[in-house]
Amino acid sequence: MNIKKRVWEIVEVAKPGDTVSRAFDIFILAFIIVNVISVIIGSVNQIYDRWGRVLDLFEFVSVVIFTAEYLARLWACTVDPRFSGSVRGRIRFALRPMSIIDLLAILPFYLPFWNVDLRSMRVLRLLRILRIAKAGRYFTSLGLIKDVLYTNKEELILTTAMMGLLLVLSSSILYYCENEAQPEAFASIPHTMWWAIATLTTVGYGDVAPVTGIGRTFASIIAVIGIGMFALPAGILGAGFVEAIQRRKKREDAAQKKEEDEGRGNYCPHCGKRLR
Amino acid sequence: MNIKKRVWEIVEVAKPGDTVSRAFDIFILAFIIVNVISVIIGSVNQIYDRWGRVLDLFEFVSVVIFTAEYLARLWACTVDPRFSGSVRGRIRFALRPMSIIDLLAILPFYLPFWNVDLRSMRVLRLLRILRIAKAGRYFTSLGLIKDVLYTNKEELILTTAMMGLLLVLSSSILYYCENEAQPEAFASIPHTMWWAIATLTTVGYGDVAPVTGIGRTFASIIAVIGIGMFALPAGILGAGFVEAIQRRKKREDAAQKKEEDEGRGNYCPHCGKRLR
Amino acid sequence: MNIKKRVWEIVEVAKPGDTVSRAFDIFILAFIIVNVISVIIGSVNQIYDRWGRVLDLFEFVSVVIFTAEYLARLWACTVDPRFSGSVRGRIRFALRPMSIIDLLAILPFYLPFWNVDLRSMRVLRLLRILRIAKAGRYFTSLGLIKDVLYTNKEELILTTAMMGLLLVLSSSILYYCENEAQPEAFASIPHTMWWAIATLTTVGYGDVAPVTGIGRTFASIIAVIGIGMFALPAGILGAGFVEAIQRRKKREDAAQKKEEDEGRGNYCPHCGKRLR
Amino acid sequence: MNIKKRVWEIVEVAKPGDTVSRAFDIFILAFIIVNVISVIIGSVNQIYDRWGRVLDLFEFVSVVIFTAEYLARLWACTVDPRFSGSVRGRIRFALRPMSIIDLLAILPFYLPFWNVDLRSMRVLRLLRILRIAKAGRYFTSLGLIKDVLYTNKEELILTTAMMGLLLVLSSSILYYCENEAQPEAFASIPHTMWWAIATLTTVGYGDVAPVTGIGRTFASIIAVIGIGMFALPAGILGAGFVEAIQRRKKREDAAQKKEEDEGRGNYCPHCGKRLR
């Protein structure tokens, strides 16, 4: 039981002062980064042709380590009151988003053993990049940014919804304008959405662009509205940051003032007695 | 009369607690969304070739439902004091923007019966996407965003006007610079406006771009001014949101303070003299 | 002298209540807009081929009217104390930026009479679009925007300077990276600047883009810095608008408070005598 | 010793009132600008073919002057207490970033004498553009911008890190989606990053763009997230500027208020009791 508890402390994010747990965190984080780099460079054919064996070996070692980590978590989790109960607790633990990510990050390696079609292997290798999500566990302090996004979530969702509406409308209009002139690029409304996204986000690849006069006129109006739509989230987030910073400062000022008050006292200037 | 009143309550946006009216609102909203999706996927030839009959049947059902909804509104509207009078009131109701949208959303289906040229049918089908605007009735709380846009409307209109001026000037300049080198893409000032819009909004499709030295020099200056122009509405909206949030907070603070004052009074608790 | 004064009042921007002067302002403004539209549509060959005579006639009428306006201003300006002196005052008036614009807007019509090379006529016609600048006289209330731009001019100039520095540096780097692979598009540092502007402003036409690995790596870094550079003016202007709005509101609050003070009085709460 | 001190005062940024030192600063700054222009226009073949000798001579003169400046600094630096000690002090001075830039700006000229491969000369000439960095010494007052960037460095680094994460994820996804359809443009994850950068920064050259349905769907989501990511630094910087301006103003207000308090006192002018 004592060992179990220690294992749990080590695999979880380290508490201040726990050097061993902290070393383990840093090791896993570094290992994740090396894994991601390995997936990235492994996708270059020339590199894979020469170093494929090394990369495959590293992949094997990685899966062993990540599997051991996953099993250690699954074994030790019952120490935590949230996951008490040797079966039910472990199931509850295994269904946490973070645990599912941990599992998905090692699964692609084991599936071939159960007779999975080799064609789908390529897609399965994609899941390896999910190991980058394992790093999320250690990003505990997005602080201000998370705070601002959360406080303004209503406005941001609304802006996204308005962008969705604009996307549907502008795709429909341009489809009807351009379909005859460019039957391939503007083959249907969903096809036209590719153009609409490129325009509303101002990316503008230029692989698809209207050529008719009426199409270009509507596209111009949509592009101008697009930059306005873009200015909205920038404005909302800007105001959100201003507010969050001021709120934080007010809290600090209040704390400081309270301290001062207790030191100097806050007395009625006429009768000299303490106020509040 | 009682039935008429109930019908009016149901077709209008539900008041809190009116479950039947609320259920009707949700049904219509969901129906609108399914209709928009049907228009979108119906524009894909492969899907229409296979499922055309289903989509056409759904279109028929939709028109029946939306027509019934429209007639119910038109019949019951006289209950509302704003539309009293069985003829005049109904005309006034039918001329509201929302009623016109409701009518336009069903009209394309009925027009063919009155011998409309089949060639223009395509354009008429475009109007079906307007059903998305019917959803606007249920978006009653754009709140903050509407507030900010309204308060800063003067500056936003001015910015748009400045962009219009810049559009005319930059199109004229580039037309004179590039017309000889690219007589087709820069055929006239209105043609050049397509390039100018793509540049000022930073979309930059790249289907039209200056090639002469002098044209590129002016285009560079215009592009830099363009991102400045873009920074203006972002700045205005940002400031607008800051102000709106602070105004709202001040109102809340004032309400809270007033409550406190009335409860505790704001006197020195010892000598009883008023403070401040 | 009395007629001169009245002419001056009429040609200048109207004072409140002066209906005749106001009517004149509106007429000239409308006339400028029609002129600009005429220049724009006159650049379309099909339109010019058919309506050329009408447009040329309109151009003739315009020049007559604008010349009369210019001469009226020049004749009447001596009424204004700033331009007193029938020769010196008129020269001082003629050298004002607005007067020079007025002159440039009619000059292209008169130059051909003095044996100007017909080849340069095309360029001269460009000057006609300058008539749009005449409208500037009537935009007296850019208010808030001008205020913000003026207050933050130092930061905005600095940002522009930093962008210039970044432009030179990134053009030099990409020139050395890409010159061998694309000797035409990246022929020299000034040529590469066209690519750099398109990237830093995020317009990205795509007519010129790096193809080498090292070129793309640097281009990526430059593009990311570019959007940061862009965020700076947006941030500065945003803060500027926040400040300007708060300053304005403070002034209004102060004015209101002063009024209240005078009404209710602002007395010492202890001895009851007036304060300040 | 006196001459050494004077030389040091002259080569360093001028103190107010030191006219000679100020003239030296302006001369060096102007000389740097002319040097940068010379490097830029020297890269144009037609100009170099005609004026190559003049540019080479100017380059020779520049190196002589910059070398003299460097040696003067190195000789005189021991006057400054930070660099006391004729050997150690000079080494410490030579290792300052600004001194290294000074050295790098003249080195390319001297290296050929020590038998450097002529092929790499091209790259060495790139270093000449670094002379632009010498100008940094005279930009002492970036003030507000530096202040804002410094205060918000944590959030800005975090945003950059999130952008890096998004870059890796989106490149991996698009690589797996598009690799089969476009084996050259999406040859590997590092190759796909070029597309991802162009999309996330909304530059969108269009030389590489997804063509498959699934690829375009993911690309659309990534583009929308990209403009959100962009709105974050704009928001952070906007809030930062608001805060910095208010902090500065508060300091000024406090200074002014203190002055007023000390001058007039803040007492009731009738009963003499202190007010707040």
Side-chain angles (χ1 to χ4, degrees), chain A residues 166-230:
Chain A
L166 199 60
L167 180 67
V168 169
L169 267 178
S170 56
S171 301
S172 304
I173 294 168
L174 261 284
Y175 163 65
Y176 284 100
C177 293
E178 290 287 322
N179 183 29
E180 263 175 66
Q182 304 185 74
E184 237 167 276
F186 293 86
S188 67
I189 294 179
H191 271 90
T192 311
M193 279 185 181
W194 173 242
W195 166 84
I197 281 278
T199 300
L200 288 174
T201 59
T202 76
V203 170
Y205 293 114
D207 52 348
V208 186
V211 294
T212 64
I214 185 88
R216 287 186 167 181
T217 308
F218 276 111
S220 299
I221 296 165
I222 290 161
V224 170
I225 296 175
I227 68 164
M229 289 295 306
F230 172 99

Side-chain angles (χ1 to χ4, degrees), chain C residues 152 154-155 158-159 161-162 165 168-169 172-173 175-176 179-180 187-190 193 195 198-199 202-210 215-217 219-220 223-224 227-228 230-232 234-236 238-240 242-243 246-247 250 268-271 273-276, chain D residues 36 39-45 119 122-123 125-126 128-130 132 135 139 141-145 149 160 163 185 191 193-194 197 200-208 230 233-234 237-239 241-242 245-246 248-249 253 264 266-271 273-275:
Chain C
N152 298 284
E154 213 175 305
E155 270 81 30
L158 202 60
T159 312
M162 279 162 67
L165 207 91
V168 169
L169 266 179
S172 304
I173 294 169
Y175 163 66
Y176 283 100
N179 183 30
E180 263 176 66
S188 67
I189 294 179
M193 279 185 181
W195 166 85
T199 300
T202 78
V203 170
Y205 293 114
D207 51 348
V208 186
R216 287 185 167 182
T217 308
S220 299
V224 171
I227 68 164
F230 172 99
L232 272 181
I236 292 168
V242 169
E243 204 208 343
Q246 287 179 343
R247 214 183 317 135
K250 206 180 240 170
C268 167
H270 314 301
C271 67
K273 287 204 180 129
R274 184 157 206 129
L275 289 167
R276 188 148 326 182
Chain D
V36 169
V39 173
I40 291 175
I41 65 167
S43 74
V44 184
N45 284 334
R119 286 278 304 258
R122 255 187 82 80
V123 180
R125 291 176 75 91
L126 168 61
R128 285 166 59 207
I129 205 77
L130 274 176
I132 213 172
F139 271 93
S141 63
L142 282 168
L144 195 60
I145 291 174
L149 290 177
T160 313
M163 212 157 203
H191 271 89
M193 279 184 181
W194 174 241
I197 280 278
L200 289 173
T201 59
T202 76
V203 170
Y205 293 114
D207 52 348
V208 186
F230 171 99
L237 289 174
F241 278 106
V242 170
I245 286 171
Q246 287 179 342
R248 190 206 274 175
K249 193 175 295 169
D253 281 5
R264 289 197 292 107
N266 197 13
Y267 302 96
C268 166
H270 313 297
C271 68
K273 276 188 189 161
R274 180 151 212 134
L275 290 164

Side-chain angles (χ1 to χ4, degrees), chain A residues 207-263:
Chain A
D207 52 348
V208 186
V211 294
T212 64
I214 185 88
R216 287 186 167 181
T217 308
F218 276 111
S220 299
I221 296 165
I222 290 161
V224 170
I225 296 175
I227 68 164
M229 289 295 306
F230 172 99
L232 272 180
I236 293 168
L237 289 174
F241 278 107
V242 169
E243 204 209 342
I245 288 170
Q246 287 179 342
R247 214 182 318 135
R248 190 207 274 173
K249 194 175 293 169
K250 206 179 240 174
R251 227 178 302 128
E252 281 167 16
D253 281 5
Q256 202 193 331
K257 213 196 161 181
K258 208 182 154 192
E259 214 168 77
E260 273 179 23
D261 279 5
E262 278 161 11

Side-chain angles (χ1 to χ4, degrees), chain A:
Chain A
M1 181 64 193
N2 232 16
I3 295 175
K4 213 186 201 177
K5 203 183 164 192
R6 187 71 191 126
V7 167
W8 181 247
E9 280 172 11
I10 289 171
V11 293
E12 284 289 277
V13 177
K15 279 181 193 132
D18 189 339
T19 333
V20 178
S21 175
R22 191 162 167 66
F24 180 81
D25 290 357
I26 289 167
F27 168 73
I28 289 286
L29 198 52
F31 205 66
I32 290 167
I33 291 166
V34 177
N35 253 275
V36 168
I37 292 170
S38 146
V39 173
I40 291 174
I41 64 169
S43 74
V44 184
N45 283 334
Q46 293 93 311
I47 292 175
Y48 192 80
D49 289 347
R50 267 191 86 167
W51 303 95
R53 294 195 123 192
V54 178
L55 291 169
D56 286 350
L57 183 69
F58 180 72
E59 170 64 13
F60 179 74
V61 174
S62 303
V63 169
V64 168
I65 289 175
F66 286 138
T67 306
E69 187 212 2
Y70 182 72
L71 292 177
R73 281 180 201 278
L74 199 63
W75 171 65
C77 72
T78 53
V79 169
D80 192 303
R82 288 174 299 167
F83 311 114
S84 66
S86 57
V87 178
R88 284 215 188 165
R90 288 204 171 95
I91 289 171
R92 234 176 307 141
F93 176 79
L95 292 174
R96 282 206 315 180
M98 216 62 212
S99 306
I100 292 169
I101 286 170
D102 282 351
L103 189 62
L104 286 175
I106 49 174
L107 219 61
F109 187 82
Y110 293 109
L111 283 178
F113 298 115
W114 289 301
N115 247 332
V116 171
D117 176 19
L118 276 168
R119 287 277 304 259
S120 55
M121 269 304 291
R122 254 188 84 79
V123 180
L124 287 173
R125 291 175 74 92
L126 168 61
L127 288 170
R128 286 165 60 207
I129 204 76
L130 274 177
R131 284 173 198 167
I132 213 173
K134 281 170 72 81
R137 180 179 280 123
Y138 304 100
F139 271 93
T140 48
S141 62
L142 282 167
L144 195 60
I145 290 174
K146 226 157 95 184
D147 189 24
V148 168
L149 291 178
Y150 186 81
T151 314
N152 297 284
K153 66 176 182 304
E154 213 176 305
E155 270 81 30
L156 292 172
I157 290 168
L158 202 61
T159 311
T160 313
M162 280 163 66
M163 212 157 203
L165 207 92
L166 199 60
L167 180 67
V168 169
L169 267 178
S170 56
S171 301
S172 304
I173 294 168
L174 261 284
Y175 163 65
Y176 284 100
C177 293
E178 290 287 322
N179 183 29
E180 263 175 66
Q182 304 185 74
E184 237 167 276
F186 293 86
S188 67
I189 294 179
H191 271 90
T192 311
M193 279 185 181
W194 173 242
W195 166 84
I197 281 278
T199 300
L200 288 174
T201 59
T202 76
V203 170
Y205 293 114
D207 52 348
V208 186
V211 294
T212 64
I214 185 88
R216 287 186 167 181
T217 308
F218 276 111
S220 299
I221 296 165
I222 290 161
V224 170
I225 296 175
I227 68 164
M229 289 295 306
F230 172 99
L232 272 180
I236 293 168
L237 289 174
F241 278 107
V242 169
E243 204 209 342
I245 288 170
Q246 287 179 342
R247 214 182 318 135
R248 190 207 274 173
K249 194 175 293 169
K250 206 179 240 174
R251 227 178 302 128
E252 281 167 16
D253 281 5
Q256 202 193 331
K257 213 196 161 181
K258 208 182 154 192
E259 214 168 77
E260 273 179 23
D261 279 5
E262 278 161 11
R264 288 196 295 106
N266 189 16
Y267 304 96
C268 166
H270 316 300
C271 67
K273 288 205 180 125
R274 183 156 209 131
L275 289 166
R276 188 145 331 180

